[in-house]
Amino acid sequence: MNGALCSVMNLHVILSSHHSVLMEQKKQKPRHCVEKPISICFQKFGRFVGTYPWWFFISPLVISAVLGSGFYFLEEREANDIEDQFTPVNGPAKLERQFVQENFPQNDSVFSNQRLYTDGVYASFIAVSRSSNILTDAAFQEIVTLDRKVKELNVAMGHEVLTFEGLCARRYKKCIPNKILDIYKYYGNNLEKTELTFPFFRFGFSHIFLGYSVGGVNINSTVIKSAQSVRLLYFLKEDNRTRTDLWLYEFLKVFPSNLSLSFIKVTHSTSLSRQVEFEANTRDVIPLFSITYVIAIAFSILSCLRFDCVRNKVWVATFGVLSAGLAVLSAFGMMLHIGVPFVMTVANSPFLILGIGVDDMFILISCWQQTNVHDQVETRLSKTYKEAAISITITTLTDVLAFYIGLMTPFRSVRSFCLYTSTSILFCYIYSITFFGAFLVLNGRRENSSKHWLTCKEVPEDCPIGQSKWYELCCVGGAYDPHTGKEEVQPMNHFFKKYYGPFLTKSWTKVFVIVLYCIYLIISIYGCFQIQEGIDLRNLAADDSYVVKYYDNEKAYFSEYGPNIMVVIRREFPYWDEKYMSDLETCIEDFKNLSFIEKDIFTSWIKSYKYYGYHSKLNLSSEDVFKDNLGSFLRFYSDFKQDVNFTNNSIHASRFFIQTVNISTALDEMNMLNKLRETAQKCPVPLLVYHPAFIYHDQYAVIVTNTIQNIAVTTAVMLLISLFLIPNPLCSLWVTFSIASVIVGVTGFMALWDVNLDTISMIILVVCIGFSVDFSAHISYAFVSNKKPSANEKAVEALFHLGYPILQGAVSTILGVVVLSASKNYIFRTFFKIMFLVIFFGLFHGLTFIPVFLTFFDMCSGTPAKKKPGPEEQAMKNNHINNVQAMARDGEVKEREIYDNRNFQPDNHRTCQSQPCSAIWMITGNNHHVQENQMCVASTIPMFRVDSQTYEVHMYTPSDDTMLRVNCQSKGQNSEFHNCVLGNSNHIQDSNVPTLNCSDLAIL
């Protein structure tokens, strides 16, 4: 009687629990409208891959080989022009340069470096004194020796010999001299006694500007007392770049080798140096690829190492890294076939892809280990894909979209990087679910056959008696958890479940985490206000490059006088009209009043023309007089002829020059450019300002706004993806919060780590969004999808399942880029610094901040917290437990845990086909004596099914002629003391077939 009463009580508890589960599933259907179909599709795809693994294993290898042939075009596709790749497409300065070029063509016969619309073609020395003053006879003798060697330098081009004299830029048929050398030659030994005035020195009938020639000056009033440095410039003609480039390359080979200098130290550069050194950076990074992949394979193998010669995942880890390598090969090859430019920044991409690929690998391995080892490998892979599909799909979608959004940037280097990387991520995703999934199946078949991971010979599951521990370690394998049928849980997973998870969910720990987060946020926000903008062009060369030393000396000794800016009147203007000229004079004064403009250094053709008209007694207020005499004036002053576009008796455009001072930092350059353009726009006269350096300074105008735009758009897209694929809106908001938080942290700390906001860091900030989603999405999805009743338990369970894979993925990504920290190049070191910050902060959010914050909101859970049982249900349970304990004391059964959340969904297991079942069945706990897909039961518990719509209970009797499906993995022989669950051939629909899981069985 007690047994029957217990059966009825258990039935009541089961029905109550199942009713609540069905109701909750009914409520969640709208939330799973996207997530569930994707999971089902991946489940079916996983079974398909598991059925035909060799096809999916070999096909990616063939595809990679075919697409990899695109590397044949690598040299042809290289595009490392600094101006083209690292300056904004259609930037304002490029349009200004076009206007200047059209209206003020260069006159090669009257060369003026002040009037160049490009950087020019030149070679240069900076000589720095070893003593306190370079203006000595001994120092200048060595400088003159250098000058003579430059002028004697020649190089053969076919049958022609190219010399400096034949290639130099000329003025009145003479090579442009270095005026400081002319002064020395004139004064000789008396140079130290000569009162050189600065910045202008009257030499003969002209005033020579020494601001670009003599640096580190110590002056008294305007007289130079001492100077530290002298700069020499050798300008060449721009009409034939092939010839001049050949001579400049020879210059770089010869100097400063074999120089024996006692009084000066010399650094050198050319107009080609920046480009040449930038292209040389690729040689620096190539050796790092092999080191990175060795480190990644070693870490992956170490992470997947098992002290079980059958369950060992060494080959799985190796082929996981190979999968990422194939993705890079395929994506890069395809892009090269298409004709996408290959910029040096793209060389960062393989390091990134390796981290992403290994991260997906760890997630897939973790889900594989959660499947039952007794299932067929096709079933195991289908379950693996079902569990991992959403997680790796979210991360792939977010990363790919983040990079595709990066294509909106006006920088071609960023566009190329984003295109190559996003395509690589897609291939990485495809190969993870095909190539790597197929290898999981092949490896699973080996495990099912109990074959050694290295020798592929069968090994025993249990260690023979008398054998040593070494024998057990090397020659015994195939262990699994007998209670769950899954692979044994790894120690790190136990750490997250037994130690870290419970520790993190303690009240005082949560308070500490909140305080820690506030500190993190305060420091990050402070750092955001310290950020510097723009890329320093010296950083495009390696640290030990000769050009960096030249730039350092240039900044140290010649930063007092900055670029000489041309101000262009870009339309026809009545220069003879006093009223209009008054407006122009006001604008000129506005320019002179800027803090970085030297008022006394001003070059203007109109000022000189008025001076000419005054002495010639011309009435320049008359339009006719003004135009009639302008031609003769310009012929007399040939420099000014290049400043006025005077054709068809009309002045279409003209220009004057202003001198900047104390422009030494990127911030100075940005402020200078912005102020000059603002002043030009405010002027009623149509003006534009231009200098060749503005081509590079244009990045300041777009870098911040473009970065904010990319981050905002990407974050919005990430939110939409999260809302679709994570079945809880509030948790999707937490993912978005994580994105914003990580971006603020990375931006703030990169400023404190001396990283500027430039085209390089802008790329990585876009990457930051994708990676911050990776970490938070994994944990958030695991949190909302598990069935634990409380928020704390959900957090612990999420950390148990995904904490270790996330940690593995983060460490593997850092290891993928850590070798870049040893690079001599700023671009690669910056990539490492920001990626390290992204991964570190993303990991901290994923494993600490997000789990804690999620516990504050029980609404984030996929199912509500479990109701406390009422008095009647509690009494029934207590009575049942007492009966079990009594029976256990009698030695009849052993106590087993009772689970209320039983699964009543149909499955595809077969039932044993024999005679009809009896009216009353009883579940037995002894499942060791059953055949596959059968369950032996006794007859004390009535069997039933629950209608999913009406929740009515339908009891089964012999007249129902039905069958019972049992999910069980144990194998053995039927016990003669138990009746097997049977069914006849009159099968009912699948929805009416009750299903029992072994984990649901209780011994009564």
Side-chain angles (χ1 to χ4, degrees):
M1 183 67 182
N2 283 339
L5 180 60
C6 289
S7 301
V8 174
M9 290 178 178
N10 279 317
L11 174 60
H12 179 76
V13 173
I14 292 169
L15 290 175
S16 301
S17 174
H18 189 58
H19 180 275
S20 64
V21 170
L22 289 173
M23 290 296 290
E24 183 59 30
Q25 288 175 346
K26 200 169 183 180
K27 292 178 182 177
Q28 286 188 3
K29 281 182 181 178
R31 294 180 184 174
H32 292 272
C33 61
V34 175
E35 177 258 351
K36 191 170 182 179
I38 293 177
S39 295
I40 293 173
C41 289
F42 271 91
Q43 184 179 14
K44 293 180 179 179
F45 181 71
R47 186 172 295 278
F48 185 65
V49 173
T51 306
Y52 307 101
W54 283 109
W55 284 101
F56 290 96
F57 183 77
I58 295 174
S59 296
L61 293 173
V62 175
I63 293 171
S64 297
V66 172
L67 293 178
S69 63
F71 276 87
Y72 175 81
F73 304 102
L74 178 60
E75 187 174 348
E76 182 182 333
R77 302 284 188 260
E78 285 185 352
N80 287 321
D81 183 81
I82 295 175
E83 178 185 319
D84 184 56
Q85 298 297 328
F86 290 91
T87 61
V89 178
N90 297 325
K94 292 180 179 178
L95 300 177
E96 292 160 358
R97 179 176 62 187
Q98 183 180 356
F99 182 89
V100 171
Q101 186 175 359
E102 291 172 353
N103 286 273
F104 309 106
Q106 289 178 202
N107 186 348
D108 292 334
S109 62
V110 188
F111 178 84
S112 171
N113 61 318
Q114 181 185 37
R115 292 168 171 83
L116 291 174
Y117 51 78
T118 65
D119 289 329
V121 182
Y122 63 88
S124 177
F125 284 119
I126 293 181
V128 180
S129 175
R130 296 181 185 270
S131 63
S132 59
N133 188 14
I134 199 171
L135 300 178
T136 63
D137 182 59
F140 264 89
Q141 283 184 10
E142 293 185 344
I143 293 173
V144 169
T145 301
L146 280 176
D147 177 68
R148 184 174 62 253
K149 286 187 176 183
V150 171
K151 293 178 178 178
E152 291 173 354
L153 181 65
N154 60 75
V155 60
M157 182 181 177
H159 298 291
E160 184 182 2
V161 177
L162 304 178
T163 64
F164 174 76
E165 185 69 23
L167 298 173
C168 66
R170 296 176 178 274
R171 183 179 179 86
Y172 305 125
K173 299 182 180 182
K174 292 183 179 180
C175 292
I176 300 297
N178 284 287
K179 291 293 186 180
I180 187 65
L181 293 182
D182 291 343
I183 294 173
Y184 170 71
K185 290 174 184 177
Y186 182 80
Y187 290 102
N189 295 337
N190 296 321
L191 181 65
E192 294 180 61
K193 301 176 183 178
T194 303
E195 290 189 347
L196 294 177
T197 55
F198 190 84
F200 285 99
F201 175 66
R202 185 174 181 82
F203 185 58
F205 296 101
S206 62
H207 287 81
I208 299 174
F209 180 67
L210 297 178
Y212 294 151
S213 302
V214 182
V217 296
N218 176 24
I219 61 175
N220 181 8
S221 182
T222 59
V223 178
I224 300 176
K225 295 299 182 183
S226 65
Q228 289 289 317
S229 180
V230 168
R231 175 165 56 184
L232 305 181
L233 289 164
Y234 300 90
F235 285 98
L236 306 178
K237 291 181 290 189
E238 296 189 45
D239 57 348
N240 192 330
R241 293 300 296 268
T242 303
R243 295 158 62 90
T244 55
D245 286 355
L246 195 61
W247 189 89
L248 290 175
Y249 280 120
E250 186 67 17
F251 175 89
L252 293 175
K253 289 179 184 178
V254 172
F255 292 98
S257 60
N258 300 323
L259 292 178
S260 178
L261 303 172
S262 303
F263 299 97
I264 58 174
K265 296 178 290 184
V266 176
T267 56
H268 66 292
S269 180
T270 71
S271 53
L272 294 177
S273 293
R274 189 163 56 204
Q275 184 67 43
V276 170
E277 290 299 291
F278 175 69
E279 292 175 356
N281 288 328
T282 53
R283 296 194 297 269
D284 174 44
V285 77
I286 288 174
L288 302 180
F289 286 129
S290 55
I291 298 173
T292 298
Y293 275 85
V294 169
I295 292 174
I297 292 174
F299 172 76
S300 301
I301 290 175
L302 186 64
S303 298
C304 298
L305 194 64
R306 307 285 185 269
F307 294 111
D308 186 310
C309 62
V310 173
R311 304 292 177 197
N312 206 334
K313 298 292 190 295
V314 169
W315 292 117
V316 173
T318 304
F319 278 83
V321 176
L322 178 61
S323 176
L326 291 176
V328 172
L329 180 64
S330 299
F332 279 38
M334 188 176 79
M335 292 293 100
L336 291 169
H337 271 299
I338 294 172
V340 179
F342 187 90
V343 190
M344 196 190 69
T345 51
V346 176
N348 288 299
S349 182
F351 300 95
L352 186 62
I353 301 305
L354 180 62
I356 294 173
V358 173
D359 182 30
D360 288 346
M361 176 191 77
F362 287 131
I363 297 294
L364 288 168
I365 291 176
S366 176
C367 293
W368 173 270
Q369 292 176 154
Q370 297 300 314
T371 60
N372 197 308
V373 297
H374 297 292
D375 282 340
Q376 294 180 342
V377 287
E378 296 90 339
T379 304
R380 293 188 70 183
L381 190 67
S382 68
K383 292 180 178 178
T384 298
Y385 280 12
K386 181 182 179 182
E387 294 300 320
I390 296 299
S391 192
I392 65 174
T393 299
I394 289 176
T395 57
T396 300
L397 274 177
T398 52
D399 289 339
V400 169
L401 286 174
F403 283 111
Y404 276 131
I405 290 171
L407 295 176
M408 297 189 308
T409 181
F411 298 96
R412 286 196 173 97
S413 58
V414 178
R415 292 178 184 176
S416 294
F417 177 83
C418 290
L419 198 54
Y420 273 89
T421 307
S422 56
T423 308
S424 298
I425 293 173
L426 281 176
F427 272 100
C428 192
Y429 176 69
I430 293 169
Y431 287 173
S432 291
I433 60 178
T434 53
F435 177 80
F436 182 68
F439 188 79
L440 277 177
V441 171
L442 297 175
N443 188 70
R445 290 178 179 177
R446 176 190 61 78
E447 292 180 1
N448 285 354
S449 302
S450 295
K451 292 183 178 179
H452 197 282
W453 70 272
L454 185 59
T455 64
C456 286
K457 293 183 178 180
E458 288 191 22
V459 296
E461 186 175 334
D462 298 318
C463 184
I465 299 174
Q467 294 293 341
S468 65
K469 285 286 185 182
W470 286 108
Y471 179 87
E472 182 179 1
L473 185 64
C474 299
C475 304
V476 176
Y480 62 92
D481 189 335
H483 299 292
T484 63
K486 302 174 183 178
E487 294 185 27
E488 292 181 335
V489 178
Q490 298 305 304
M492 280 299 296
N493 294 87
H494 276 301
F495 167 78
F496 278 100
K497 186 167 187 177
K498 292 187 176 181
Y499 302 103
Y500 182 74
F503 168 78
L504 194 64
T505 53
K506 293 181 183 295
S507 299
W508 68 268
T509 308
K510 293 181 182 180
V511 173
F512 174 76
V513 168
I514 293 173
V515 173
L516 182 65
Y517 180 75
C518 291
I519 295 172
Y520 157 82
L521 203 59
I522 291 171
I523 297 175
S524 300
I525 293 173
Y526 168 76
C528 288
F529 287 100
Q530 310 303 312
I531 195 79
Q532 299 292 319
E533 301 171 34
I535 186 170
D536 188 344
L537 294 179
R538 67 184 295 279
N539 290 329
L540 295 177
D543 295 340
D544 58 354
S545 169
Y546 64 88
V547 75
V548 171
K549 298 173 184 177
Y550 179 88
Y551 286 147
D552 288 342
N553 283 341
E554 188 177 48
K555 183 176 181 179
Y557 302 112
F558 296 96
S559 60
E560 180 178 356
Y561 289 94
N564 195 252
I565 310 298
M566 62 178 74
V567 182
V568 180
I569 302 170
R570 51 192 173 89
R571 294 177 189 167
E572 293 187 22
F573 181 78
Y575 300 91
W576 48 87
D577 191 308
E578 294 296 334
K579 178 181 179 299
Y580 286 99
M581 281 302 298
S582 176
D583 292 338
L584 180 59
E585 291 293 338
T586 302
C587 294
I588 292 173
E589 287 302 314
D590 290 340
F591 279 111
K592 289 183 176 181
N593 290 331
L594 294 174
S595 60
F596 50 84
I597 297 298
E598 175 58 65
K599 294 183 178 181
D600 297 330
I601 304 177
F602 177 69
T603 306
S604 171
W605 70 272
I606 187 66
K607 181 179 179 181
S608 297
Y609 186 36
K610 287 186 174 182
Y611 182 79
Y612 170 84
Y614 174 78
H615 286 282
S616 300
K617 300 186 184 325
L618 299 175
N619 180 19
L620 297 182
S621 298
S622 168
E623 178 180 356
D624 293 335
V625 175
F626 190 97
K627 291 181 177 180
D628 291 342
N629 291 275
L630 181 58
S632 58
F633 167 76
L634 295 177
R635 284 191 295 271
F636 188 75
Y637 295 95
S638 55
D639 280 341
F640 291 139
K641 187 176 183 179
Q642 300 180 65
D643 297 337
V644 184
N645 181 1
F646 183 51
T647 55
N648 297 325
N649 205 38
S650 295
I651 304 175
H652 299 284
S654 71
R655 61 183 174 183
F656 55 89
F657 298 86
I658 53 177
Q659 179 64 50
T660 60
V661 291
N662 300 321
I663 306 296
S664 57
T665 66
L667 183 61
D668 294 335
E669 292 170 348
M670 180 182 66
N671 289 334
M672 173 190 70
L673 182 62
N674 292 337
K675 291 291 185 183
L676 286 173
R677 285 181 173 165
E678 286 176 9
T679 305
Q681 288 175 357
K682 291 177 182 177
C683 180
V685 181
L687 302 178
L688 65 81
V689 290
Y690 176 73
H691 185 273
F694 288 2
I695 300 291
Y696 304 99
H697 297 347
D698 265 347
Q699 59 179 310
Y700 303 127
V702 298
I703 195 79
V704 174
T705 55
N706 199 258
T707 301
I708 294 174
Q709 170 189 306
N710 286 348
I711 290 175
V713 173
T714 308
T715 304
V717 173
M718 300 305 108
L719 175 59
L720 290 176
I721 293 175
S722 301
L723 286 171
F724 271 111
L725 297 181
I726 298 180
N728 189 284
L730 189 57
C731 286
S732 299
L733 291 176
W734 276 115
V735 172
T736 309
F737 158 79
S738 176
I739 295 173
S741 180
V742 172
I743 289 173
V744 170
V746 171
T747 305
F749 278 83
M750 82 178 195
L752 300 176
W753 205 352
D754 296 325
V755 176
N756 288 0
L757 180 60
D758 51 37
T759 54
I760 309 302
S761 53
M762 183 174 71
I763 295 173
I764 314 304
L765 282 176
V766 174
V767 177
C768 173
I769 299 172
F771 272 90
S772 56
V773 170
D774 288 0
F775 296 114
S776 56
H778 287 319
I779 287 295
S780 297
Y781 181 75
F783 185 94
V784 301
S785 60
N786 72 69
K787 304 300 181 183
K788 292 295 181 180
S790 70
N792 282 349
E793 289 176 306
K794 285 179 177 293
V796 173
E797 192 71 9
L799 289 169
F800 167 62
H801 286 297
L802 287 179
Y804 186 42
I806 287 176
L807 181 62
Q808 287 176 308
V811 174
S812 66
T813 304
I814 290 177
L815 289 176
V817 298
V818 71
V819 293
L820 296 179
S821 63
S823 174
K824 300 174 183 177
N825 184 262
Y826 167 84
I827 292 177
F828 297 116
R829 284 200 313 276
T830 299
F831 189 88
F832 160 73
K833 288 181 179 181
I834 303 181
M835 280 304 302
F836 177 82
L837 292 175
V838 169
I839 300 302
F840 180 75
F841 290 144
L843 180 66
F844 215 74
H845 278 72
L847 296 186
T848 305
F849 294 149
I850 295 299
V852 168
F853 294 154
L854 286 174
T855 60
F856 294 140
F857 297 90
D858 283 341
M859 337 174 26
C860 271
S861 61
T863 57
K866 195 174 180 179
K867 280 186 178 181
K868 187 175 180 180
E872 182 180 353
E873 289 87 347
Q874 189 63 43
M876 290 182 180
K877 286 188 177 182
N878 291 340
N879 189 17
H880 165 66
I881 293 171
N882 291 335
N883 278 282
V884 172
Q885 291 174 343
M887 294 171 70
R889 286 193 296 270
D890 293 338
E892 296 180 11
V893 294
K894 293 181 180 180
E895 186 176 356
R896 296 284 299 275
E897 182 181 0
I898 300 175
Y899 295 91
D900 290 336
N901 56 336
R902 290 186 170 88
N903 177 19
F904 289 85
Q905 302 302 314
D907 203 344
N908 295 323
H909 288 73
R910 297 171 300 170
T911 58
C912 45
Q913 304 294 325
S914 183
Q915 61 186 2
C917 298
S918 56
I920 302 232
W921 302 322
M922 166 183 160
I923 304 175
T924 179
N926 183 9
N927 60 357
H928 298 287
H929 305 286
V930 297
Q931 294 180 353
E932 184 178 7
N933 298 328
Q934 297 182 3
M935 175 59 67
C936 295
V937 296
S939 43
T940 41
I941 299 182
M943 298 307 295
F944 58 88
R945 67 180 176 85
V946 181
D947 190 297
S948 61
Q949 302 296 325
T950 63
Y951 309 112
E952 294 178 356
V953 179
H954 300 278
M955 304 300 296
Y956 287 106
T957 65
S959 61
D960 287 327
D961 292 336
T962 188
M963 62 182 181
L964 171 67
R965 288 182 173 174
V966 182
N967 296 335
C968 186
Q969 306 301 327
S970 300
K971 298 180 180 181
Q973 300 295 326
N974 289 338
S975 173
E976 61 182 1
F977 302 106
H978 298 86
N979 297 320
C980 183
V981 179
L982 305 172
N984 61 16
S985 59
N986 298 324
H987 293 180
I988 60 177
Q989 295 180 353
D990 283 350
S991 61
N992 295 329
V993 179
T995 301
L996 295 179
N997 292 313
C998 290
S999 60
D1000 296 334
L1001 299 178
I1003 297 177
L1004 304 175

